[in-house]
Amino acid sequence: MSNSPFIFEATIDNFQEKVMDASANTPILVDVWADWCAPCKQLMPILEKLVEEYNGGFLLAKVNADEQQQLTASLGVRSLPTVILVKNGQAVDGFNSALPEGEVRKLLEPHVEKAEDQEAPYDQAHRLWEEGDLDGALAIFSQLNQQNPDDLKVLIDLAQIKAEQGDLDTAEQVLESLPPEEKLQPKAKQLAARLKILRQAGELPPIKDLEMALEQDPNDPDALHQLSMQYALNDRNAEAMDLLIRLMQTNAGYKDGIAKTSLVELFEKLGNNNPDVRTYRRKLYTLMH
């Protein structure tokens, strides 16, 4: 199964909702196929290419005829491949052979508006996220996740938004559900590090109060660490790392070396390509050696 947000697996349980009902908003091309069907495998890359090209103009629902025999029978399928175009809850066109790409295009054109100049849903969600519309971004990511639950990129984005909304438990549950190898991916590691920082932060004093405390005592370990956490949560990352280096210089054993631990977690949150990470990693190395 492709990780495309425009392709999903249709079953007897979800066909009404994800195909018939959803086709009121977006045409759905239903591809009934089987592993043993050579023409099916010939047609499949053509359909996958076109659904990406149309960029959300239609969705591709894949029905495994061997696994979904009841659904296949209800669709009246007599040979494979069978392709049915559903729009507004009705079958409006279709074919039952491995057509060439040009013929499939001709079938789509009267019914599907090409969306190549429109913003892809995944890109739209990220734009809304950057603009601060977390609820709007979450709604789109949730829809993409329903269409393709195996798209781990979308799943991690969902967890990140949940974390930003303060739902740390859900974000952590999503992370824990990832396959072990995916937990090592940069985005997953960065989110895990951010969640640790959020958990450690707890109820922190306001930034202004902590800054005043440091003015009175520049080596106050509590203020140094708490203010670094506040800065990190507000994306003032270089300032956060600078405070953690100061804390290591003045009180390396504070809370069992939490300054170093927090600094490493901040590196993980930002990723190795971040220029501030490279700068402060060198400072940490110098301090340790």
Side-chain angles (χ1 to χ4, degrees):
M1 174 66 64
S2 167
N3 283 331
S4 169
F6 309 126
I7 303 174
F8 64 94
E9 184 176 357
T11 68
I12 189 67
D13 295 323
N14 70 16
F15 195 82
Q16 180 63 44
E17 176 188 357
K18 297 185 71 172
V19 176
M20 302 305 289
D21 296 344
S23 69
N25 299 315
T26 306
I28 312 289
L29 195 65
V30 180
D31 174 29
V32 187
W33 65 285
D35 278 329
W36 48 263
C37 170
C40 297
K41 294 182 178 180
Q42 181 182 347
L43 177 64
M44 195 173 297
I46 294 174
L47 300 182
E48 293 179 352
K49 173 187 175 184
L50 289 173
V51 77
E52 294 296 334
E53 181 180 315
Y54 272 76
N55 194 25
F58 73 94
L59 301 179
L60 179 61
K62 302 177 72 64
V63 177
N64 186 315
D66 291 332
E67 296 177 358
Q68 300 295 323
Q69 295 182 18
Q70 183 180 350
L71 176 57
T72 300
S74 70
L75 294 174
V77 174
R78 296 185 178 181
S79 63
L80 298 180
T82 288
V83 177
I84 306 166
L85 182 60
V86 181
K87 189 173 183 179
N88 296 320
Q90 300 291 327
V92 296
D93 212 333
F95 56 92
N96 55 7
S97 61
L99 293 182
E101 182 178 325
E103 292 300 313
V104 180
R105 287 181 183 276
K106 288 180 182 179
L107 177 139
L108 292 171
E109 285 172 1
H111 307 288
V112 179
E113 179 181 352
K114 197 168 185 180
E116 59 184 0
D117 296 328
Q118 297 181 13
E119 192 174 26
Y122 184 80
D123 295 334
Q124 181 186 8
H126 270 275
R127 177 177 56 78
L128 292 174
W129 190 354
E130 291 171 2
E131 293 172 355
D133 184 0
L134 297 185
D135 290 337
L138 181 62
I140 295 174
F141 282 133
S142 297
Q143 183 179 17
L144 292 175
N145 177 249
Q146 290 176 1
Q147 292 170 358
N148 188 358
D150 295 328
D151 190 336
L152 300 179
K153 178 176 63 175
V154 170
L155 201 57
I156 293 174
D157 286 334
L158 275 172
Q160 287 181 315
I161 288 185
K162 285 293 186 180
E164 288 193 24
Q165 291 180 325
D167 189 354
L168 304 187
D169 290 339
T170 298
E172 288 176 342
Q173 288 170 8
V174 173
L175 273 183
E176 285 302 311
S177 72
L178 296 176
E181 65 274 11
E182 291 299 326
K183 293 179 182 179
L184 300 177
Q185 296 299 318
K187 286 184 69 174
K189 291 176 67 176
Q190 289 167 20
L191 176 57
R194 179 171 179 81
L195 288 172
K196 284 183 182 179
I197 291 172
L198 288 166
R199 288 294 190 194
Q200 289 173 2
E203 293 295 327
L204 291 172
I207 288 179
K208 288 185 178 180
D209 291 352
L210 292 169
E211 290 175 338
M212 289 179 60
L214 281 182
E215 286 180 7
Q216 296 173 1
D217 180 2
N219 294 327
D220 180 342
D222 290 329
L224 282 169
H225 185 250
Q226 290 176 346
L227 186 56
S228 73
M229 294 297 96
Q230 278 282 31
Y231 283 165
L233 293 174
N234 287 274
D235 291 325
R236 296 168 63 175
N237 298 302
E239 294 170 277
M241 288 185 276
D242 191 64
L243 290 178
L244 292 170
I245 289 291
R246 280 173 54 187
L247 180 54
M248 288 186 66
Q249 291 170 329
T250 58
N251 194 340
Y254 171 74
K255 289 189 175 180
D256 296 323
I258 196 171
K260 180 184 176 183
T261 301
S262 298
L263 192 60
V264 172
E265 289 172 353
L266 194 49
F267 292 164
E268 291 180 351
K269 171 197 167 190
L270 298 173
N272 291 329
N273 293 328
N274 184 285
D276 291 330
V277 168
R278 292 196 292 267
T279 297
Y280 282 90
R281 198 185 293 279
R282 286 194 296 269
K283 290 185 177 184
L284 175 61
Y285 180 83
T286 301
L287 194 61
M288 297 297 295
H289 297 83

